[in-house]
Amino acid sequence: MRVLRGAGVVVGVLGLLVGTVACAVEEEPLVVSAAASLTDVLPRIGERFAAEHDGLEVVYNFAGSSTLAEQIRQGSPSDVFISADVALMDQLADVPAVGEPVVVTSNVLQVAVPPGNPAGVTGLADFGRPELRLVACAPEVPCGSAAEQVFAATGVTPALDSEETDVRAVLTKVGQDEADAGLVYRTDVIAAGSRVDGVDVPEAAAVLNEYPAAPLTGGAHPEAGRQLVEFLTGPEAQQLLAEAGFGPP
Amino acid sequence: MTPRPLGRPPWPLLLAAGLALLWLTVPLLGLLVRAPWSRAAGLLAEPEALQALGLSLGTATVATLVVLLLGVPLAWVLSRPGLPGAGVLRALVTVPLILPPVVGGVALLTVLGRSGLLGAPLHEATGLALPFTPAAVVVAQVFVGLPFLVLSVEGSLRALDRRSEEVAATLGASAGYTFTRVTLPAVAPGVLAGAVLAWARALGEFGATITFAGNFPGRTRTVPLEVYLALQSDPDAAVLLSVVLMAVSLVVLVLLRGRWVNRW
């Protein structure tokens, strides 16, 4: 008897485990894996999209594009992937679950400074001043490779104090007043509201960051995924993107 | 006397135990299987990897020295019989042990950051700021490593036969002499174990470091941060560095086998 009860406990615990996995499958929302810079605007677009599709539930998996690309290579059950980097999307071309990518929007870099700009940062040239505390993304991630290109194009040797793994971490360091300036996307400065101020860098326009989106067949809604990619290029989504500071595709 | 064999244990227990063992070992075995052994020498000789390893070993060692210098006295105070509020103090020491490290990083930032409670006056007076410096890495490592040493040493002190201290005192030894010549040698194994644990914890520190110290090669990018970054661009390098950290953990386990694992 006691042995049977013990077996019951083990089976019960295993059942719980299987249950948590099954739950995730049963509800079957539309899963969108998207670059961290889309964290604020994408749910607003998803809401409009869902309204047109019988209130289909849309869930988001926001992270650095490189992380997401690796997850998709490992079989992430997503329906759509939106990357902040064309090269990363191209590397997924041989993954059968990934459909044809379309560029849906774009972004440019901007300098973020703490409110009131206490260090008097005026542009990219200030990133060469070692006495300032400066942060940007690491060259291994999209915002960092964009930063590297902008620095190379303008001949500035950046005296960085930290190379963060994603753009939101750069923004946090500036917002906390730990850094005098950080190189982020224009959209991040807008999303941060009053926590940071933006300083325009005309030179950054030369390095346009394009966002390709691709439908995936690994999730529960391949058809709705394809429609969402289409919806992203439509006027309604483009207007929301423009309000958040994104550029046309 | 050898214990009497108990017969075959019930199979549900064996099943659960087997699953638990697999849960703990399969991910680690996976690392070993995935590790790019053919590229190992080349990847570990990369300047980024060497720089991160050097920084990690250096900061973790400095942090351990600080932990020893401050932790042993704290453990000694906590172990005094009849200390008022000992329970509360012990709980406070344990908090960093169970706190999510990233929360520790945020806490350190709000106190020691350039505009933090203590950091702001320091910055105004001296122009110094901790974040983005190797010193910040050490501060984060001490924060997470200190509890390991304090709890380990305090446990040894409490198990100590206090009479030897009393004997030393009656023979005319000063309190300081008694502490360094009688008490400390008696709890040396506990101090060593605590120091090794604190060092290992400091070496693996990630959350508080990336939040408080930033992430710059050669200055604040320790091995765990390098692993996280390498995962974005060169997963092979990330796996290999993970294996290195795992090997260090195994060495720590071997060093401590007398305390944790009685017989091999």
Side-chain angles (χ1 to χ4, degrees), chain A residues 3 6-7 10 14 17 66-67 70 74 133 135 138 140-141 160-165 173 176-180, chain B residues 10-12 15-16 19 23 109 113-115 129 131-132 210-211 214-217 219 221 228-229 232-233 235:
Chain A
V3 171
V10 173
L14 289 181
L17 186 70
S66 337
T67 307
E70 180 61 22
Q74 305 286 346
R133 297 164 75 75
V135 287
E140 287 87 345
V141 294
L160 295 176
D161 289 284
S162 189
E163 294 178 355
E164 303 291 332
T165 43
K173 294 283 192 294
Q176 297 255 9
D177 193 33
E178 290 308 331
D180 296 310
Chain B
W11 68 265
L15 179 67
L19 269 176
W23 209 305
L109 207 53
R114 194 171 61 165
S115 42
F132 309 130
I210 202 165
T211 316
N215 189 353
F216 194 84
R219 236 180 295 160
R221 183 175 297 158
Y228 186 65
L229 186 67
Q232 319 267 334
S233 58

Side-chain angles (χ1 to χ4, degrees), chain B residues 77-146:
Chain B
V77 168
L78 282 178
S79 72
R80 296 276 91 185
L83 176 77
V88 177
L89 283 178
R90 209 167 288 125
L92 286 177
V93 170
T94 319
V95 168
L97 206 64
I98 45 177
L99 197 69
V102 62
V103 176
V106 174
L108 288 172
L109 207 53
T110 49
V111 174
L112 296 170
R114 194 171 61 165
S115 42
L117 293 175
L118 300 175
L122 176 81
H123 182 62
E124 261 160 48
T126 62
L128 292 175
L130 269 178
F132 309 130
T133 64
V137 177
V138 172
V139 169
Q141 290 173 342
V142 169
F143 182 76
V144 297
L146 196 49

Side-chain angles (χ1 to χ4, degrees), chain A residues 38-132:
Chain A
L38 292 162
T39 304
D40 300 292
V41 67
L42 202 55
R44 290 205 286 273
I45 297 175
E47 234 168 72
R48 304 276 181 95
F49 177 77
E52 288 181 15
H53 288 80
D54 306 323
L56 173 74
E57 196 197 344
V58 189
V59 299
Y60 304 91
N61 173 25
F62 291 112
S65 301
S66 337
T67 307
L68 294 173
E70 180 61 22
Q71 286 173 2
I72 285 161
R73 210 170 280 124
Q74 305 286 346
S76 154
S78 302
D79 298 295
V80 175
F81 173 42
I82 312 176
S83 163
D85 187 62
V86 174
L88 273 171
M89 186 64 95
D90 290 346
Q91 285 165 24
L92 291 178
D94 55 344
V95 178
V98 179
E100 192 62 33
V102 189
V103 173
V104 292
T105 190
S106 64
N107 212 344
V108 291
L109 291 176
Q110 195 180 34
V111 174
V113 295
N117 196 357
V121 171
T122 55
L124 272 183
D126 289 304
F127 277 79
R129 290 167 56 189
E131 76 274 19
L132 293 186

Side-chain angles (χ1 to χ4, degrees), chain A residues 23 25 43 45 63 65 79 108 117 124 151 191 194 196-197 201 206 212 227 244:
Chain A
C23 261
V25 179
I45 297 175
S65 301
D79 298 295
V108 291
N117 196 357
L124 272 183
F151 285 132
S194 59
V196 302
D197 287 347
V201 272
Q227 287 167 354

Side-chain angles (χ1 to χ4, degrees), chain B:
Chain B
M1 191 179 91
T2 44
R4 190 172 60 90
L6 287 173
R8 246 167 63 91
W11 68 265
L13 279 185
L14 283 181
L15 179 67
L19 269 176
L21 198 62
L22 288 178
W23 209 305
L24 293 174
T25 50
V26 167
L28 301 181
L29 289 176
L31 264 187
L32 289 179
V33 171
R34 254 296 306 263
W37 297 110
S38 54
R39 290 177 60 204
L43 280 174
L44 285 181
E46 292 276 333
E48 293 85 9
L50 287 178
Q51 213 172 29
L53 277 169
L55 182 70
S56 270
L57 292 175
T59 50
T61 304
V62 173
T64 306
L65 291 178
V66 175
V67 161
L68 277 169
L69 221 57
L70 303 179
V72 173
L74 177 56
W76 183 77
V77 168
L78 282 178
S79 72
R80 296 276 91 185
L83 176 77
V88 177
L89 283 178
R90 209 167 288 125
L92 286 177
V93 170
T94 319
V95 168
L97 206 64
I98 45 177
L99 197 69
V102 62
V103 176
V106 174
L108 288 172
L109 207 53
T110 49
V111 174
L112 296 170
R114 194 171 61 165
S115 42
L117 293 175
L118 300 175
L122 176 81
H123 182 62
E124 261 160 48
T126 62
L128 292 175
L130 269 178
F132 309 130
T133 64
V137 177
V138 172
V139 169
Q141 290 173 342
V142 169
F143 182 76
V144 297
L146 196 49
F148 285 95
L149 180 100
V150 173
L151 295 180
S152 172
V153 175
E154 197 220 334
S156 303
L157 281 169
R158 266 138 60 95
L160 189 67
D161 189 350
R162 293 278 169 180
R163 278 176 302 187
S164 49
E165 287 179 342
E166 284 158 19
V167 169
T170 51
L171 291 175
S174 69
Y177 188 90
T178 308
F179 179 73
T180 51
R181 294 300 175 88
V182 178
T183 316
L184 218 43
V187 295
V191 175
L192 184 70
V196 172
L197 278 177
W199 184 78
R201 179 65 187 85
L203 201 66
E205 178 18 65
F206 174 80
T209 308
I210 202 165
T211 316
F212 176 56
N215 189 353
F216 194 84
R219 236 180 295 160
T220 53
R221 183 175 297 158
T222 54
V223 176
L225 272 64
E226 178 69 31
V227 169
Y228 186 65
L229 186 67
L231 208 49
Q232 319 267 334
S233 58
D234 187 358
D236 274 0
V239 171
L240 199 66
L241 281 169
S242 303
V243 170
V244 171
L245 286 182
M246 192 168 88
V248 172
S249 309
L250 285 178
V251 170
V252 168
L253 191 65
V254 170
L255 285 177
L256 293 179
R257 70 185 186 280
R259 291 180 70 81
W260 281 355
V261 191
N262 290 330
R263 269 182 284 171
W264 288 94

